[in-house]
């Protein structure tokens, strides 16, 4: 079993839709949590950190449930430019990032 | 551009050859990380440095792999006697301090024929 598990998708949604991604992690010692975005053949880029209280950045909302070891990302009003792979990431001691395999999102007009 | 840079961006080599990649981190960042990403997977941690000290190596890093950061600035990753299974994207990231956000370079895509 992988340390970070994600639904690989792809999620094919129309513009304007709301889409939610889920992620689970197995190491309870994980210290911090992130969503990274990766465009095709490009490097991962930090989308947002995830906090237990939940946090929002524009159309993006992230939630963390430490008890269930579960992380989520909600994207509202999807844009064509949101099409990418979304990587769920946990951070272990030493600032070593552990990535999920990613969830592919395709937003269509 | 003051981001993380990597060179070369692409490398095609024959099995058995040695290859070396370079990473230049963001200038004030004292932590530098190497990751490897294969198709359909997320990046996997290989090794990291704090200044010039290599603090940890993953079990993924066989004895054919060696990484250095001699002056605490740029880093090199060398793969000796390349194998087809080494074909991947090699990503470098840097951060300021232990828990700082990691910023990734564009990667070096290695193809071993």
């Amino acid at each position: 079993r992988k340390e970070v598990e994600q639904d690989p998708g792809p999620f094919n949604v129309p513009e304007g839709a709301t889409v939610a991604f889920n992620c689970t992690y197995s190491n309870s010692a994980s210290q911090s949590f992130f969503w990274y975005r990766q465009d095709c053949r490009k490097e991962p880029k930090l989308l947002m950190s995830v906090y237990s209280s939940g946090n929002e950045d524009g159309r993006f909302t992230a939630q963390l449930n430490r008890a269930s070891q579960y992380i989520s990302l909600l994207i509202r009003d999807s844009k064509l430019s949101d099409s990418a792979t979304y990587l769920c990431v946990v951070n272990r001691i030493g600032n070593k990032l552990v990535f999920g395999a990613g969830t592919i999102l395709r937003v269509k007009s | 551009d003051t981001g993380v840079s990597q060179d070369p961006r692409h490398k095609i080599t024959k099995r058995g050859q040695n290859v070396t990649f370079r990473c230049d981190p963001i200038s004030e960042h004292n932590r530098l990380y190497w990751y490897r990403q294969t198709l359909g997977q997320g990046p996997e941690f290989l090794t990291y440095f704090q200044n010039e000290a290599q603090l940890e190596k993953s079990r993924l890093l066989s004895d054919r792999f060696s990484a250095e950061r001699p002056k605490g600035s740029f880093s090199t990753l060398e793969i000796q006697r390349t194998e087809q299974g080494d074909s991947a994207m090699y990503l470098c990231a840097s951060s300021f301090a232990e828990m700082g956000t990691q910023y990734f370079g564009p990667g070096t895509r290695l193809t071993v024929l």
Side-chain angles (χ1 to χ4, degrees):
Chain A
R1 184 187 170 200
K2 291 191 175 182
E3 187 169 340
V4 179
E5 300 263 16
Q6 294 182 248
D7 181 342
F11 285 61
N12 295 301
V13 303
E15 275 186 291
T18 295
V19 61
F21 303 141
N22 302 318
C23 165
T24 57
Y25 63 96
S26 59
N27 189 337
S28 59
S30 300
Q31 298 186 316
S32 47
F33 309 87
F34 309 93
W35 285 99
Y36 274 72
R37 170 195 168 126
Q38 186 170 30
D39 293 297
C40 188
R41 303 181 81 81
K42 300 278 191 178
E43 73 272 24
K45 292 186 178 178
L46 179 64
L47 179 66
M48 59 197 301
S49 300
V50 189
Y51 304 111
S52 297
S53 54
N55 49 300
E56 189 174 304
D57 182 2
R59 299 180 293 109
F60 299 83
T61 300
Q63 295 275 356
L64 167 65
N65 184 320
R66 282 187 181 266
S68 304
Q69 297 181 192
Y70 171 91
I71 306 165
S72 67
L73 177 68
L74 184 76
I75 305 176
R76 291 181 299 278
D77 187 24
S78 299
K79 312 289 185 192
L80 293 174
S81 57
D82 293 334
S83 296
T85 297
Y86 290 83
L87 298 161
C88 179
V89 187
V90 306
N91 191 343
R92 290 204 256 110
I93 292 173
N95 204 19
K96 298 182 299 258
L97 300 182
V98 181
F99 288 80
T103 298
I104 297 170
L105 173 64
R106 297 181 186 140
V107 182
K108 308 218 180 243
S109 58
Chain B
D1 187 347
T2 56
V4 179
S5 62
Q6 292 187 245
D7 184 71
R9 296 290 304 278
H10 303 274
K11 179 70 177 179
I12 300 174
T13 191
K14 293 183 179 178
R15 191 174 52 188
Q17 298 294 304
N18 299 344
V19 294
T20 300
F21 310 142
R22 176 179 170 127
C23 171
D24 286 88
I26 294 171
S27 59
E28 64 269 24
H29 285 186
N30 56 6
R31 286 235 169 171
L32 187 148
Y33 310 82
W34 286 99
Y35 293 83
R36 180 173 70 187
Q37 186 174 23
T38 54
L39 198 62
Q41 300 299 315
E44 295 175 292
F45 168 79
L46 292 178
T47 188
Y48 81 97
F49 294 83
Q50 168 122 351
N51 300 312
E52 65 276 7
Q54 187 173 20
L55 296 186
E56 187 171 339
K57 295 193 291 186
S58 161
R59 285 172 296 176
L60 292 175
L61 216 63
S62 77
D63 56 7
R64 296 184 298 107
F65 288 71
S66 62
E68 293 182 342
R69 194 182 183 199
K71 296 181 181 178
S73 55
F74 72 92
S75 175
T76 58
L77 178 68
E78 180 183 16
I79 310 174
Q80 296 183 325
R81 306 181 303 281
T82 52
E83 301 172 358
Q84 288 185 323
D86 297 331
S87 295
M89 173 80 91
Y90 289 84
L91 291 159
C92 175
S94 70
S95 71
F96 181 71
E98 179 173 349
M99 295 305 289
T101 298
Q102 291 187 33
Y103 296 90
F104 283 81
T108 295
R109 186 171 295 280
L110 173 66
T111 302
V112 182
L113 302 175

